[in-house]
Amino acid sequence: MILFLALVVLVAILVFRALAHLGRHGGEHAGWHTGPQPPVGPTAEQILADRYARGEIEDEEYQRRLALLRSSRQGQAP
């Protein structure tokens, strides 16, 4: 009887710890991802802005390329 009670308490503790762990991590396990990951490096717009800031490209070219980048991004499927 004591062994059975100890087993029930142990199972209850393990279930409680598992639920608490899931609550802290939003239900995600290590290595599981729910969606696309953000870009690791700078985006194309950031690179373009850096080139413009350094004076490598003129205002007209910057605006043209920025519009092209944004239009191609809108055409992508989510």
Side-chain angles (χ1 to χ4, degrees):
M1 180 70 178
I2 293 176
L3 185 60
F4 177 73
L5 273 170
L7 182 62
V8 169
V9 170
L10 178 64
V11 168
I13 290 172
L14 291 176
V15 167
F16 177 76
R17 286 184 62 189
L19 291 175
H21 180 73
L22 288 177
R24 280 195 308 262
H25 299 290
E28 289 187 23
H29 293 287
W32 292 12
H33 305 288
T34 58
Q37 297 298 309
V40 175
T43 64
E45 286 187 22
Q46 290 170 333
I47 293 170
L48 184 63
D50 289 344
R51 291 186 64 201
Y52 178 65
R54 288 192 301 265
E56 294 177 11
I57 57 176
E58 298 294 323
D59 185 53
E60 183 179 309
E61 185 177 359
Y62 171 74
Q63 295 297 332
R64 182 179 55 83
R65 290 182 182 211
L66 184 61
L68 181 63
L69 283 172
R70 289 183 175 166
S71 68
S72 66
R73 183 177 60 203
Q74 289 174 353
Q76 291 178 348

